[in-house]
Amino acid sequence: GSLPFGDGADGFVMGEGCAAFLLRRLADAERDGDRVYAVVRGIGDSSDGRGKGITAPNPVGQEYAVRRAWEDADLDPATCTLVEAHGTSTKVGDVVEVESLAKVYEGAKRGSIALGSAKSNIGHLKAAAGAAGLLKAVQAIAHKQLPPTLNAERPSPNIDFGNSPFRLSHELAPWDVAGGAPRRAAVSAYGFGGTNFHVVLEEHRPGELKPRPVQVAFSSTA
């Protein structure tokens, strides 16, 4: 099986699957009375460019995508309480991913962010892996539950979770947030060849979010 972030992780199991999402402008969805499962607050991407290989992780590229997503959301990463990671269950990949995530989420309290990977449940869906992670995070927000990650009861000895903002969830648990803040989650999806994406999601609270003004800049080299 796949053991993301667990002791003995040595690779992933291939899976097959797909997921589909209906996206609407928040104002339109609220106007029409749609059920909103979650709100997309920010998206960040990056390319590792000339990386070390088609599957070799690049912490710099990963950090760029994560940081850009939170800058796009205009939110503090420390307010996140769930990260659905890429989590490929490889010795190098898991360690590099947690280290790159920690650089962006370093302002959060120790153990305040639940860390998981859908690959522990259904394997690596290849092109649909990111869609599976996004679906998991959206459902977690909608149901206000923190889902467990399998096969990580014994954490990887190469990851210092004791001094990390992340913790591994082993049981389904209520998703409680201090101070009445909205539940926020983030999802990572890293593709072959170094294409990285990170998405920031938030619980829907009708009427609380207002559209941000669109800024357009025109330039000329003449």
Side-chain angles (χ1 to χ4, degrees):
S2 294
L3 290 71
F5 311 113
D7 187 15
D10 59 359
F12 53 79
V13 175
M14 286 291 191
E16 295 288 349
C18 64
F21 304 91
L22 177 62
L23 302 178
R24 297 198 72 190
R25 293 183 181 91
L26 181 58
D28 293 345
E30 290 183 336
R31 180 198 64 207
D32 295 343
D34 294 340
R35 178 179 179 182
V36 180
Y37 288 84
V39 180
V40 178
R41 293 298 307 269
I43 300 175
D45 65 344
S46 70
S47 173
D48 292 343
R50 294 181 179 180
K52 300 176 183 178
I54 192 171
T55 60
N58 186 324
V60 177
Q62 293 180 12
E63 183 184 346
Y64 270 130
V66 177
R67 199 173 297 281
R68 286 169 177 168
W70 284 97
E71 289 173 351
D72 184 44
D74 195 25
L75 295 169
D76 183 356
T79 63
C80 180
T81 42
L82 171 65
V83 169
E84 172 63 17
H86 187 54
T88 55
S89 185
T90 58
K91 291 182 179 179
V92 175
D94 286 1
V95 174
V96 168
E97 182 172 9
V98 172
E99 289 178 350
S100 62
L101 286 169
K103 291 181 179 179
V104 181
Y105 292 93
E106 60 184 355
K109 295 180 180 178
R110 293 182 183 178
S112 63
I113 303 175
L115 181 71
S117 170
K119 294 178 181 64
S120 70
N121 302 90
I122 56 178
H124 195 322
L125 304 191
K126 302 182 283 297
L134 182 62
L135 179 61
K136 176 184 171 184
V138 166
Q139 290 290 341
I141 290 174
H143 292 283
K144 300 178 174 57
Q145 299 280 316
L146 290 172
T149 285
L150 304 180
N151 307 323
E153 287 77 9
R154 291 191 305 169
S156 169
N158 300 315
I159 300 175
D160 186 10
F161 282 107
N163 294 305
S164 165
F166 306 107
R167 72 180 189 279
L168 296 172
S169 298
H170 307 303
E171 302 289 341
L172 182 68
W175 190 347
D176 299 322
V177 181
R183 294 167 179 83
R184 290 189 179 125
V187 183
S188 288
Y190 304 147
F192 287 126
T195 302
N196 308 304
F197 283 92
H198 199 70
V199 179
V200 176
L201 305 172
E202 184 177 284
E203 172 184 16
H204 177 234
R205 294 184 173 183
E208 284 196 9
L209 289 177
K210 303 300 180 185
R212 286 183 290 180
V214 177
Q215 295 180 326
V216 181
F218 294 92
S219 62
S220 172
T221 57

